[in-house]
Amino acid sequence: MNLDLREFDAFPAEVSLDFEADSADFGIEGVSFRDLMSVRMTIQKVVEEYYCQGYVAVSVEEECSRCLEMFDSELSGDLTFIVKTDEGEAVMATDTRAEIVHVRSGEPVVEMNELIRQTLILSIPLKPLCSPECRGLCPSCGVNLNEETCTCKTEEIDDRWEGLSDLME
Ligand SMILES: [Zn+2]
Ligand SMILES: [Zn+2]
């Protein structure tokens, strides 16, 4: 997705975008986007710099790391960056941690996908869970313990007894 800063006549400008997106296009694995991605931003222009502050959010399906079922979730995060044109003097970009995007002054177009990708990847949990109480899969028979119980007695499989059963054979 491209953000063409020439489209705005006055600043601060409000950006409100909802668009189709594919998780593959963003190189994000393990989730699939379920709905439109939304970007909300306020853009302020100071001399030749654009200060863009907002957030991005998208509904996703992701896989529970315990029970392996897909569940609905949302990825979202801050989308803040500063656009500098090659003619601009550093005004705001001197003491900030925001990402700085360089564009040519005659063509102030920001390729947003990489910025969005970085934000969304940071919001993916390391171990996604469908619920904090997810009971996961039985390690013996593999049933989803959220949905059914099984007769496996996993807690009784114990190395100490394995030695005994060898002796008894
Ligand atoms: Zn689960
Ligand atoms: Zn089982």
Side-chain angles (χ1 to χ4, degrees):
M1 202 209 46
N2 287 333
L3 179 70
D4 189 338
L5 294 163
R6 289 170 296 194
E7 286 176 10
F8 306 103
D9 302 324
F11 293 92
E14 298 290 330
V15 175
S16 179
L17 294 167
D18 296 281
F19 54 97
E20 295 257 7
D22 187 328
S23 53
D25 294 342
F26 285 85
I28 296 175
E29 290 175 9
V31 305
S32 54
F33 296 167
R34 295 182 60 246
D35 208 346
L36 299 180
M37 182 178 285
S38 35
V39 169
R40 301 286 181 272
M41 276 194 307
T42 303
I43 304 176
Q44 181 60 283
K45 186 183 185 192
V46 176
V47 195
E48 287 299 312
E49 285 185 351
Y50 301 86
Y51 188 74
C52 306
Q53 189 167 38
Y55 73 94
V56 56
V58 63
S59 298
V60 299
E61 263 198 332
E62 60 189 317
E63 188 183 79
C64 175
S65 60
R66 278 190 204 151
C67 69
L68 309 183
E69 293 289 322
M70 300 301 283
F71 68 99
D72 294 342
S73 182
E74 186 189 76
L75 303 181
S76 62
D78 289 338
L79 197 57
T80 297
F81 53 93
I82 293 165
V83 181
K84 282 173 66 71
T85 63
D86 48 14
E87 287 176 3
E89 291 275 314
V91 180
M92 283 193 278
T94 47
D95 62 345
T96 175
R97 287 169 297 158
E99 180 122 10
I100 296 172
V101 179
H102 292 271
V103 295
R104 278 182 290 155
S105 56
E107 198 184 352
V109 179
V110 181
E111 170 42 72
M112 298 275 291
N113 284 17
E114 179 59 22
L115 296 162
I116 291 172
R117 192 182 80 87
Q118 287 171 12
T119 294
L120 295 183
I121 279 182
L122 283 176
S123 80
I124 299 176
L126 284 178
K127 288 192 182 299
L129 290 178
C130 62
S131 110
E133 289 85 39
C134 176
R135 303 169 75 177
L137 304 177
C138 169
S140 298
C141 70
V143 303
N144 184 340
L145 297 172
N146 299 312
E147 289 166 2
E148 45 188 312
T149 51
C150 61
T151 54
C152 301
K153 292 176 179 163
T154 50
E155 65 282 359
E156 291 185 14
I157 297 173
D158 188 322
D159 290 344
R160 286 173 299 176
W161 302 111
E162 273 175 19
L164 266 184
S165 59
D166 284 348
L167 285 176
M168 288 162 74
E169 275 169 11

Short mmCIF file of all heavy atoms in Angstrom, two decimals, residues 64-69 71 128-131 134-136 144 146, ligand 1:
data_model
loop_
_atom_site.label_atom_id
_atom_site.label_comp_id
_atom_site.label_asym_id
_atom_site.label_seq_id
_atom_site.Cartn_x
_atom_site.Cartn_y
_atom_site.Cartn_z
N CYS A 64 -3.77 -22.02 17.69
CA CYS A 64 -3.42 -22.14 19.11
C CYS A 64 -2.19 -23.03 19.25
O CYS A 64 -2.12 -24.11 18.66
CB CYS A 64 -4.59 -22.73 19.88
SG CYS A 64 -4.22 -23.05 21.60
N SER A 65 -1.23 -22.60 20.03
CA SER A 65 0.00 -23.37 20.16
C SER A 65 -0.19 -24.62 21.03
O SER A 65 0.65 -25.50 21.03
CB SER A 65 1.12 -22.49 20.75
OG SER A 65 0.74 -22.02 22.03
N ARG A 66 -1.31 -24.70 21.75
CA ARG A 66 -1.55 -25.90 22.57
C ARG A 66 -2.46 -26.91 21.89
O ARG A 66 -2.16 -28.08 21.82
CB ARG A 66 -2.18 -25.50 23.91
CG ARG A 66 -1.16 -25.05 24.92
CD ARG A 66 -1.80 -24.92 26.29
NE ARG A 66 -1.03 -23.98 27.11
CZ ARG A 66 -1.55 -23.24 28.07
NH1 ARG A 66 -2.84 -23.33 28.34
NH2 ARG A 66 -0.80 -22.41 28.75
N CYS A 67 -3.64 -26.44 21.41
CA CYS A 67 -4.61 -27.40 20.86
C CYS A 67 -4.61 -27.41 19.34
O CYS A 67 -5.28 -28.24 18.73
CB CYS A 67 -6.01 -27.11 21.39
SG CYS A 67 -6.73 -25.58 20.75
N LEU A 68 -3.86 -26.51 18.73
CA LEU A 68 -3.70 -26.44 17.27
C LEU A 68 -4.98 -26.07 16.53
O LEU A 68 -5.05 -26.18 15.31
CB LEU A 68 -3.12 -27.76 16.71
CG LEU A 68 -1.84 -28.26 17.40
CD1 LEU A 68 -1.34 -29.53 16.71
CD2 LEU A 68 -0.76 -27.21 17.42
N GLU A 69 -6.01 -25.65 17.26
CA GLU A 69 -7.22 -25.15 16.60
C GLU A 69 -7.00 -23.71 16.15
O GLU A 69 -6.26 -22.96 16.78
CB GLU A 69 -8.42 -25.19 17.57
CG GLU A 69 -8.86 -26.57 17.98
CD GLU A 69 -9.53 -27.33 16.86
OE1 GLU A 69 -10.27 -26.70 16.07
OE2 GLU A 69 -9.29 -28.55 16.74
N PHE A 71 -8.21 -19.94 15.86
CA PHE A 71 -9.10 -19.08 16.64
C PHE A 71 -8.97 -17.64 16.16
O PHE A 71 -7.99 -17.27 15.52
CB PHE A 71 -8.83 -19.20 18.14
CG PHE A 71 -7.48 -18.65 18.57
CD1 PHE A 71 -7.38 -17.37 19.11
CD2 PHE A 71 -6.33 -19.39 18.42
CE1 PHE A 71 -6.14 -16.86 19.50
CE2 PHE A 71 -5.09 -18.89 18.80
CZ PHE A 71 -5.00 -17.63 19.35
N PRO A 128 0.67 -18.30 20.78
CA PRO A 128 -0.74 -17.92 20.76
C PRO A 128 -1.59 -18.98 21.46
O PRO A 128 -1.36 -20.18 21.30
CB PRO A 128 -1.07 -17.87 19.25
CG PRO A 128 0.24 -17.95 18.54
CD PRO A 128 1.21 -18.58 19.46
N LEU A 129 -2.57 -18.53 22.24
CA LEU A 129 -3.47 -19.45 22.92
C LEU A 129 -4.91 -19.06 22.62
O LEU A 129 -5.27 -17.88 22.70
CB LEU A 129 -3.26 -19.40 24.44
CG LEU A 129 -1.96 -19.98 24.98
CD1 LEU A 129 -1.90 -19.79 26.49
CD2 LEU A 129 -1.82 -21.44 24.62
N CYS A 130 -5.75 -20.07 22.30
CA CYS A 130 -7.16 -19.79 22.02
C CYS A 130 -7.83 -19.27 23.28
O CYS A 130 -8.78 -18.49 23.21
CB CYS A 130 -7.86 -21.04 21.49
SG CYS A 130 -7.87 -22.42 22.65
N SER A 131 -7.36 -19.70 24.43
CA SER A 131 -7.83 -19.16 25.70
C SER A 131 -6.76 -19.49 26.74
O SER A 131 -6.04 -20.47 26.58
CB SER A 131 -9.19 -19.77 26.09
OG SER A 131 -9.05 -20.64 27.18
N CYS A 134 -6.77 -23.02 27.85
CA CYS A 134 -6.72 -24.11 26.86
C CYS A 134 -6.01 -25.33 27.45
O CYS A 134 -4.93 -25.22 28.00
CB CYS A 134 -6.00 -23.65 25.60
SG CYS A 134 -5.80 -24.98 24.40
N ARG A 135 -6.65 -26.51 27.30
CA ARG A 135 -6.08 -27.72 27.89
C ARG A 135 -5.20 -28.49 26.91
O ARG A 135 -4.61 -29.50 27.27
CB ARG A 135 -7.20 -28.60 28.41
CG ARG A 135 -8.07 -27.84 29.42
CD ARG A 135 -9.32 -28.58 29.75
NE ARG A 135 -9.03 -29.71 30.63
CZ ARG A 135 -9.96 -30.50 31.12
NH1 ARG A 135 -11.22 -30.32 30.80
NH2 ARG A 135 -9.64 -31.50 31.91
N GLY A 136 -5.20 -28.07 25.67
CA GLY A 136 -4.28 -28.66 24.71
C GLY A 136 -4.69 -30.05 24.25
O GLY A 136 -5.84 -30.47 24.40
N ASN A 144 -8.38 -33.46 21.44
CA ASN A 144 -8.42 -32.10 21.95
C ASN A 144 -9.12 -32.14 23.31
O ASN A 144 -10.32 -32.37 23.41
CB ASN A 144 -9.20 -31.23 20.96
CG ASN A 144 -9.21 -29.77 21.37
OD1 ASN A 144 -8.97 -29.44 22.54
ND2 ASN A 144 -9.49 -28.91 20.42
N ASN A 146 -10.01 -29.90 25.24
CA ASN A 146 -11.06 -28.90 25.44
C ASN A 146 -12.41 -29.46 25.04
O ASN A 146 -13.45 -28.98 25.50
CB ASN A 146 -10.79 -27.66 24.59
CG ASN A 146 -9.47 -27.00 24.93
OD1 ASN A 146 -9.16 -26.77 26.09
ND2 ASN A 146 -8.69 -26.70 23.91
ZN ZN B 1 -6.15 -23.94 22.32
#
